[in-house]
Amino acid sequence: MAKAVTQMNEFRRLDDGRIVLDGLVWSNNADKAIEIIDEDNGFKVLNIKLDGVCYYPIGFDKRKKK
């Protein structure tokens, strides 16, 4: 079952069309997708849809503070 994001702590769009959402970098290129497991619940993070466009996780935000 899909889990809806109820609160975004960080969101920004990059010049090349990618987005950053809560420490993950997302792209609309499915071929670049990597496998990410949510540490809180063990589910795979597959994709998100914003403004009718699907985005896939491609990496971690290097600027994210730990």
Side-chain angles (χ1 to χ4, degrees), residues 30-45:
D31 294 333
K32 293 183 177 181
I34 61 173
E35 184 175 287
I36 297 177
I37 305 295
D38 187 322
E39 295 175 359
D40 294 332
N41 57 28
F43 293 130
K44 287 184 183 179
V45 178

Side-chain angles (χ1 to χ4, degrees), residues 3-65:
K3 179 181 174 184
V5 175
T6 57
Q7 179 180 352
M8 294 186 293
N9 295 322
E10 175 196 14
F11 175 83
R12 70 182 188 278
R13 290 188 187 271
L14 304 177
D15 292 336
D16 59 3
R18 295 177 299 160
I19 60 172
V20 177
L21 175 63
D22 291 339
L24 290 178
V25 180
W26 300 79
S27 170
N28 61 357
N29 185 346
D31 294 333
K32 293 183 177 181
I34 61 173
E35 184 175 287
I36 297 177
I37 305 295
D38 187 322
E39 295 175 359
D40 294 332
N41 57 28
F43 293 130
K44 287 184 183 179
V45 178
L46 299 175
N47 63 46
I48 58 174
K49 193 171 192 178
L50 295 172
D51 298 326
V53 179
C54 284
Y55 292 90
Y56 306 89
I58 61 167
F60 295 93
D61 183 15
K62 293 178 182 169
R63 295 177 10 164
K64 177 79 173 171
K65 294 180 179 133

